[in-house]
Amino acid sequence: MKISLDSLQAQRPVIEQLVLRSFECEIYLVDVQIESKVFAVVGEDNKPLMFRSQLAAKKPFKGLGVQNTFLRHDSPYNEMIGLEFGAIEPMVVSLNNPDDDLS
């Protein structure tokens, strides 16, 4: 499911989790969990918002009272060497919430 950044900022729902999905350590897509449902955050063009740093990905959520923030990185290593994709659990790291980030 998708949700626009504009609607998040207008409606200000309780964001249980903000998940920054890392791709190749330089591209970040964002998911939010609201009422136990996960939504991909999209822009006005209905395409996933893409950010170039963790800080840039967290900035639009400053002031929205995010409860938990995580970085998720799926490793493509198994797929690259011909093994089954998904055999390795993704790395999930807790980050400062946007409101607590001093940068």
Side-chain angles (χ1 to χ4, degrees):
M1 296 192 316
K2 299 177 184 178
I3 192 165
S4 74
L5 181 58
D6 291 339
S7 70
L8 284 173
Q9 292 172 333
Q11 296 173 7
R12 306 182 72 76
V14 174
I15 299 174
E16 299 159 2
Q17 286 187 3
L18 175 66
V19 179
L20 310 181
R21 293 185 295 138
S22 171
F23 297 92
E24 300 178 16
C25 298
E26 62 184 38
I27 297 172
Y28 298 89
L29 303 180
V30 180
D31 292 337
V32 293
Q33 180 177 318
I34 300 167
E35 296 178 3
S36 301
K37 295 177 186 163
V38 178
F39 300 88
V41 180
V42 299
E44 292 178 11
D45 58 359
N46 208 29
K47 293 182 182 176
L49 287 178
M50 183 177 69
F51 302 93
R52 293 291 182 173
S53 70
Q54 292 177 30
L55 178 60
K58 290 195 297 185
K59 271 188 176 180
F61 300 91
K62 209 166 187 99
L64 294 180
V66 173
Q67 295 177 346
N68 296 293
T69 303
F70 297 97
L71 171 68
R72 178 187 171 124
H73 180 75
D74 293 296
S75 175
Y77 180 74
N78 279 3
E79 185 179 6
M80 289 174 13
I81 63 169
L83 298 177
E84 247 183 77
F85 178 73
I88 296 177
E89 286 291 317
M91 178 182 71
V92 178
V93 180
S94 180
L95 300 174
N96 282 341
N97 291 328
D99 291 343
D100 300 331
D101 197 335
L102 300 177
S103 41

